[in-house]
Structures are given as C-alpha cells and as structure tokens.
Amino acid sequence: MAAFNHLLHNPTVRRLGRLNPPHLILSVATCRFASQPTQPEPSGALLETKKPVNLAVKYYLKKKREHDAFLALENAEFRLGQKHLANMMGADFESMTQTDIDKAIEYLFPSGLYEESARAAMKPPAEVYPKQKEAEFDGEGRPLHPFYFTTKPNYSQALFDVVEVLEKLMLLNDQLQSQGIYPDRELLLNDVALSGTRWMAKDEFEKSFLESLSTDQYDELISALDRITFQHFSYKVKDFIFKYRVSSGLIQSKVEILPVLTDEKGRSYVEAQGQKKSACAKVRVTKPGTGKFTLMNIDFPEEVQGITYFFGMKERLAIMFPLQFTKLLGQVDVEAVVNFGGSASQASAIRYATAMCLRSFVDEGMVARMAVAGLLTQDVRVRERKKPGQEGARRKYSWNKR
C-alpha cells in the first residue's frame, strides 16, 4: 500500500494523470505487486456465463438434424432394398456395385421410354436428394464467407476469381508484349483446343454452387469467362478455365474411327454411310487414287456420273468440301451410291459419309479441325409433320372477322 501511495504522489504521475486521467487510473489500478498476495478467484456456477445461441444457428442446427435423420432413414431403406435385389438376382450383397444395381433394375423393369429420368431407377439417397450447404456462420452468428451478404456467396466468389484472373492476364499480356515476347501459337486456346468442351450450363452451375442463378447472372459469368479465353496468354490459366468447362458430348465423339481395309489391288479403303432426312448415301474412299469421283443412284445403276449428277453448284461444293478441307483432293478416289431424298439431302449425306471416311486417313490435329468445321457432326433434323387443324407444322389458318 505504501508503494501505491508513493506512486500516486510522484509528480510525473500527477502530470500524466492530468493529461489522461482515465488511462492512468486504469493502468495503476490493474498493477499487481509481487509482495501483495493475490486473492483467490471465486469459482462455481455464479461465474458461468453462457452466451445465448444465435437464432440463425438454432435454425440451421434444427434443419441439419432433420436432414441427417432423413438421410439415415433413406440409407437404411436403400440397403434393405439392395439386399432384396441381390436375393432376386442371385448375387452377393456385399460385392454388388451400382452398375450391377442398374443392370438388375433394367432387367426387372424394362422400359421403352426415351427420357431416362422417367425410367425406373435405384440410386443412393445422396445422389437423388439435393445437397445442403454447410454452416455459413460461426456459433455467434458471424458469417464465415466474405460474400455472405450478397445472398449468393459461391457465385460471387467465382465471379470475383474470374475478374481477378482476367486482370492478371491483361497485365501479363502488356508486360510480355513490351518485352517483345509473344504467345506460343501451338498452345493458344482457340476453337480447335476448345472444340470438345463447352461452358457449364445454368443448371450445372446451380448444382455446383448450391445456389439459384438468374439468366442475367449466368450470362454475366459466361461473358467474363469468354473474355479470359480471348486473351493471348490464356493458356497459362488453362486449369482455371477448364474448371468451368465440361465435355460437349457431340455425336462425333461417340463414333469410333472407321478401320482401314485393303482391297484386292493392295490399296487402302474405308466405307461409311450417311443420312439426311430420308436420303441415304454409301461412300467408299480409296487411297492412293487419282481424284476420280463417281456417283450413282441406286434406282438407275446403269447411269454412273460424277459431280454433274447435281445441277446446282451448292450441292457440288458441299460434296467436294471434305476433300478440299483435308487437302486430299486428287489423292483419293471416291465412289458414292445414293437413294431416296432430294438433291440437297443427298448432297448432305454424301458430305458426311465422305468426311467420316477421310477421318481415317488424317492425323489427330486434322480430325480436331474437321470437328470444328462441322464435318463430323451428322445433321439429324427432319421435316416436322403437319398438324391437324393447322395450315402447316406451325403455321395457323388466318382468322377473318367476316
């Protein structure tokens, strides 16, 4: 206590106290001296202060418990159904995979429906029911995500990352070009490099973000991603770009490359068929050749013609375009037989069949360029039928008041 009084009567302390009394008093009052015994702090339930749980946390915990209980019940029913299915199919329950379950369901419940979602299926509950977001706030209700108050934090974070990458690419482009460094043409992300993929669809983004997006928000995100791919050095962030791209699933990706056969003269040849509406064409490409092009209608086998079979220049250019594009014009012989359809449909069928044959004679780089040019995509459109009570397939009769 004497030391405390001595500290208060110190003139330096008095001057400081006049300048900032509350700070000084607090500092002095909190000092403890080694000679002064410390009082034992009270213990017990009197000092236990429990902070009230935030209402948002309570609501989240309640929904989380309900969702977990629901999934646990559905998982138990799925396992029970899997046991019954294994007994019916005579399979081992423990070694039964999801592929075995799909085959068993397809065998027990055959369906001719084209829509896969309308067919019978047996999937794990985690794949059937939508996922739920994890807690977005701590125990006191403070949000964990920096974009929580945008109501779409995952979408906002993705858009922020895209803009950040775009700004870095633009800065890198300016710096390298000022030094005379230009992008590598073989690594550019052009249409050929992106031909087998596409941007994620709106529903795919919603499933990934676990958030609903409007059309304007989706268009804004795709527009920003397109700006990244347009940059010269976009290949340096290729992994980031392909995080938002999925396989396009075009028809040509599902068709295997046709095998090259050998005829009696030792020449290589490939045969393919093409269709367009009701027209059908069978084409045979032989290599090496002299550039001979023979065309025949199956109804008139005695009349063998060349490209003069078509009167219009449009059809003639269409059937010659695959040969010009692959630079094999004059190096192969083409024999085509057509049936049914009109001139435009027959030309489209020959064009597709010729391109499929030429794909076996070119390298992978040319195959990718052919895919970008649309040579490997078959046109499956057909004429829409006329509807009863209408003038045409879509056209309605004009209504007159009198």
Side-chain angles (χ1 to χ4, degrees), residues 40 45 111 114 144 219 240 267 274 279 301 322 352 380 392:
S111 176
Y114 291 99
L144 301 175
D219 294 339
F240 178 81
R267 298 192 303 173
Y352 174 72
V380 296

Side-chain angles (χ1 to χ4, degrees), residues 276 278-280 297-299 309 338-343 345-346:
K276 173 65 186 295
S278 60
C280 180
N297 193 309
I298 197 171
D299 294 333
Y309 173 86
V338 295
N339 191 17
F340 304 115
S343 59
S345 300
Q346 289 178 356

Side-chain angles (χ1 to χ4, degrees), residues 60-263:
Y60 169 76
L61 294 176
K62 178 183 176 182
K63 299 294 290 184
K64 183 66 175 176
R65 284 193 294 266
E66 293 177 354
H67 183 70
D68 293 343
F70 173 75
L71 282 184
L73 179 61
E74 292 294 329
N75 282 322
E77 293 182 355
F78 175 78
R79 299 287 290 178
L80 181 60
Q82 187 177 357
K83 289 182 180 179
H84 291 319
L85 188 63
N87 292 333
M88 285 187 289
M89 301 301 296
D92 184 15
F93 164 70
E94 298 296 337
S95 61
M96 199 172 191
T97 61
Q98 185 60 39
T99 305
D100 299 333
I101 294 176
D102 295 339
K103 291 181 180 179
I105 294 296
E106 186 178 359
Y107 173 77
L108 295 174
F109 303 97
S111 176
L113 299 175
Y114 291 99
E115 184 64 32
E116 293 185 2
S117 60
R119 302 174 187 172
M122 184 176 175
K123 302 288 184 182
E127 298 181 10
V128 176
Y129 297 101
K131 296 181 181 180
Q132 286 192 347
K133 282 186 176 182
E134 298 296 334
E136 299 179 340
F137 35 78
D138 56 13
E140 297 181 357
R142 297 188 184 92
L144 301 175
H145 203 287
F147 296 102
Y148 174 78
F149 292 103
T150 62
T151 68
K152 292 180 175 57
N154 294 332
Y155 166 78
S156 301
Q157 181 67 53
L159 192 61
F160 177 82
D161 295 340
V162 170
V163 174
E164 186 178 18
V165 170
L166 179 61
E167 291 178 350
K168 290 181 179 179
L169 276 179
M170 294 174 66
L171 179 61
L172 178 65
N173 183 35
D174 296 340
Q175 291 177 350
L176 294 181
Q177 286 191 358
S178 63
Q179 300 174 8
I181 302 175
Y182 298 95
D184 190 351
R185 293 184 177 273
E186 296 181 357
L187 299 177
L188 289 177
L189 295 182
N190 48 23
D191 294 339
V192 177
L194 303 176
S195 60
T197 59
R198 60 170 176 81
W199 294 120
M200 295 171 63
K202 179 172 173 289
D203 55 342
E204 294 172 337
F205 271 116
E206 291 177 344
K207 187 176 180 180
S208 175
F209 294 154
L210 299 179
E211 299 168 354
S212 60
L213 302 179
S214 64
T215 305
D216 294 338
Q217 290 173 338
Y218 173 73
D219 294 339
E220 183 180 8
L221 181 58
I222 295 299
S223 176
L225 289 170
D226 283 334
R227 289 188 61 186
I228 292 181
T229 58
F230 293 155
Q231 298 297 318
H232 297 302
F233 293 93
S234 59
Y235 58 85
K236 292 185 177 294
V237 291
K238 185 177 180 180
D239 295 337
F240 178 81
I241 293 174
F242 279 86
K243 186 171 65 173
Y244 300 103
R245 295 187 72 88
V246 294
S247 177
S248 58
L250 296 177
I251 295 177
Q252 67 267 13
S253 61
K254 301 179 181 179
V255 181
E256 297 180 356
I257 296 180
L258 300 175
V260 180
L261 306 177
T262 306
D263 59 6

Side-chain angles (χ1 to χ4, degrees), residues 386-398:
K386 178 186 177 301
K387 310 298 189 303
Q390 298 180 188
E391 190 173 353
R394 302 290 179 90
R395 183 178 176 84
K396 309 296 189 298
Y397 290 112
S398 59

